[in-house]
Amino acid sequence: MAARDEGRAFVLEPYPDRRMHVIVLDDVSNAAEVSAWVRQPGADFAAVDARMVVGMPQLLAAALCALHAEQRGKLVTHALHSEVVYALSAGKQINEAFRRFGAGESCARIVIVTFDAGAAARLSERILGRRVDPLSLAERFDEAAVRKAYKVTEAELRVASLSDAIVSRIAIQRL
Amino acid sequence: MEPVLLAQGAEARVYAARLNGSPTVVKERFAKAYRHPDIDYRLRSTRMAQEAKMLLRARQAGVRAPTVHFADMQACALHLEHVDGPTAKRFIQERTVEEVHAVATAIGEAVAKLHDADIVHGDLTTSNMLLRGGAADQLVMIDFGLGQFTTLVKDKAVDLYVCEKAFLSTHPSSDALFAHMLDAYKASSRHGAEVVSHLDKVRARGRKKICLG
Ligand SMILES: Nc1ncnc2c1ncn2[C@@H]1O[C@H](COP(=O)(O)OP(=O)(O)O)[C@@H](O)[C@H]1O
Ligand SMILES: [Mg+2]
């Protein structure tokens, strides 16, 4: 029997007993279904629009914030997986975070983030699309949309990478 | 593995760590037993938040500052990018006259950018500046714990005054070096001339009458 496909797993050092599973899919044909599943109460994964993701550091930063909020009993969205989407945003507005970063019904490139290996295995079978390496996220994102969402200026990009600019914003979102 | 302590101040300790595969430093504002726990926590978390926001604002103004990787609100600890390189203090002590000159220029220009963005650093010592990779043109500002937003010329002049005092007490016979730094500041800040002329007044009044904290 082939090993079940749980996507790529990442460890977040402050939470060594958790695994963040990441699955990136291109040419997704059932995004409407994915978007319906993720909206159900108790959803065990987050679905992010890949156009808004510039690389793994951004996802790791958001996941870390979500776990930290959970540990402190301060989940703004009241659930860990939706909190990852919220944590991706630079601002505190929940609706805006989901509108910008959540994978919509017609989203063709989706990033699945989950702390549940079973969910990762289930979704890798049910989402119809072409699998790509999470490390390739950095090669294809919508730079204009990303810079607008995070309000990154030219002056800042002269002294920091776009990824670092974003990570800083995610880290201080709630402060 | 024991964390490596890099610095221990009155308010915070800084140690080397790693996060998500990158080298980091953790700046933890530790609890003070003599304060009421609630007040203590509020103070530490507010200062941590203030510093983190200032680090981002500095970058937005075009000044190098470490990436903030994570703000631990439990421990009041900021996980920052580890900037690999000497402090400006050590750089000035060890490098050639030309290199030191170049750093003074870089400091003047960086402070000008901060002030033009209405940010005063609050603690402009040469220990709060790092040179990434030991390069004179890679000045990184750190330690914004006393930073604040202000449009007042007088606050900016006090920022320079603190810098001058720190320069002169840390680096013997650095008058010329500081003057060079000021020239660079004046040349690149929008209100450089005005702030520097206010610095003369601040000097005249001396340290005593100025609230530095
Ligand atoms: N991001 C960093 N990268 C490398 N070294 C750092 C960093 N932040 C602080 N340090 C080191 O730790 C020292 C103390 O940090 P600082 O933020 O200035 O704390 P304090 O408020 O106690 O002065 C610095 O002088 C520097 O040597
Ligand atoms: Mg310091």
Side-chain angles (χ1 to χ4, degrees):
Chain A
M1 198 185 97
R4 70 178 188 167
D5 181 0
E6 298 172 355
R8 209 188 236 272
F10 297 84
V11 184
L12 294 141
E13 277 139 83
Y15 301 94
D17 52 337
R18 308 297 283 267
R19 292 277 179 291
M20 175 173 96
H21 300 262
V22 177
I23 299 169
V24 184
L25 293 132
D26 264 11
D27 306 321
V28 175
S29 56
N30 61 338
E33 273 190 293
V34 178
S35 131
W37 296 334
V38 84
R39 278 171 175 73
Q40 278 166 17
D44 49 13
F45 69 101
V48 177
D49 186 338
R51 285 173 299 192
M52 301 302 287
V53 180
V54 309
M56 282 308 302
Q58 177 185 9
L59 291 180
L60 290 163
L64 185 53
C65 285
L67 286 172
H68 187 57
E70 179 188 55
Q71 182 197 37
R72 299 179 66 236
K74 304 253 157 134
L75 288 171
V76 173
T77 63
H78 307 292
L80 177 62
H81 288 100
S82 51
E83 197 79 1
V84 174
V85 180
Y86 175 67
L88 279 168
S89 184
K92 289 194 166 88
Q93 289 251 316
I94 299 178
N95 289 342
E96 187 181 307
F98 283 99
R99 184 172 52 75
R100 283 209 151 112
F101 295 93
E105 289 180 6
S106 55
C107 188
R109 297 184 54 226
I110 298 181
V111 184
I112 298 297
V113 177
T114 176
F115 295 99
D116 183 326
R122 188 183 78 240
L123 292 163
S124 39
E125 287 178 5
R126 296 210 192 144
I127 304 181
L128 308 173
R130 190 165 47 80
R131 284 287 281 276
V132 298
D133 187 342
L135 299 180
S136 73
L137 282 167
E139 291 153 23
R140 307 174 50 199
F141 54 87
D142 183 339
E143 185 170 346
V146 167
R147 284 183 54 179
K148 187 167 172 226
Y150 288 105
K151 299 188 177 75
V152 180
T153 63
E154 284 297 331
E156 187 174 3
L157 291 178
R158 278 195 284 274
V159 292
S161 70
L162 181 57
S163 177
D164 284 347
I166 291 171
V167 166
S168 283
R169 283 165 174 75
I170 290 172
I172 72 173
Q173 180 206 27
R174 291 156 208 253
L175 299 182
Chain B
M1 207 173 70
E2 279 294 294
V4 179
L5 190 68
L6 297 177
Q8 159 94 57
E11 225 189 292
R13 66 177 73 90
V14 177
Y15 51 92
R18 294 187 73 81
L19 186 66
N20 297 335
S22 321
T24 53
V25 303
V26 179
K27 180 168 182 176
E28 180 173 5
R29 291 186 156 79
F30 45 81
K32 301 258 172 111
Y34 59 81
R35 287 198 291 242
H36 184 281
D38 295 348
I39 295 170
D40 185 58
Y41 177 77
R42 214 171 319 132
L43 266 172
R44 292 185 294 129
S45 57
T46 312
R47 286 185 188 154
M48 172 186 76
Q50 180 72 4
E51 174 160 28
K53 289 178 193 167
M54 283 293 175
L55 287 166
L56 177 60
R57 296 290 175 264
R59 269 190 175 176
Q60 289 173 318
V63 173
R64 283 182 202 80
T67 299
V68 183
H69 282 281
F70 176 50
D72 183 335
M73 294 188 261
Q74 205 86 43
C76 297
L78 284 181
H79 295 238
L80 305 170
E81 165 198 354
H82 186 131
V83 178
D84 193 14
T87 59
K89 176 178 171 182
R90 225 185 82 203
F91 189 99
I92 290 170
Q93 287 163 348
E94 294 175 358
R95 298 297 188 101
T96 65
V97 175
E98 288 75 24
E99 286 175 312
V100 168
H101 229 69
V103 160
T105 306
I107 296 172
E109 288 171 355
V111 176
K113 280 182 192 156
L114 291 177
H115 286 185
D116 282 357
D118 294 327
I119 298 166
V120 296
H121 180 281
D123 193 13
L124 286 173
T125 69
T126 49
S127 298
N128 289 335
M129 303 167 189
L130 303 172
L131 293 146
R132 189 179 277 142
D137 62 354
Q138 290 287 315
L139 182 78
V140 183
M141 291 283 187
I142 60 166
D143 199 359
F144 282 79
L146 296 173
Q148 59 182 64
F149 283 109
T150 171
T151 56
L152 300 180
V153 167
K154 122 178 167 316
D155 293 336
K156 296 172 186 177
V158 170
D159 212 24
L160 291 179
Y161 183 68
V162 171
C163 186
E164 179 173 40
K165 285 280 176 200
F167 247 83
L168 300 182
S169 66
T170 316
H171 305 287
S173 354
S174 60
D175 304 64
L177 192 63
F178 185 77
H180 180 71
M181 191 294 266
L182 270 191
D183 285 342
Y185 174 89
K186 237 192 306 196
S188 65
S189 166
R190 261 184 289 120
H191 310 289
E194 200 187 338
V195 177
V196 171
S197 86
H198 202 93
L199 174 62
D200 289 330
K201 289 183 209 155
V202 178
R203 280 174 181 142
R205 265 181 281 156
R207 191 166 203 155
K208 267 177 295 185
K209 290 170 110 181
I210 298 157
C211 176
L212 294 172

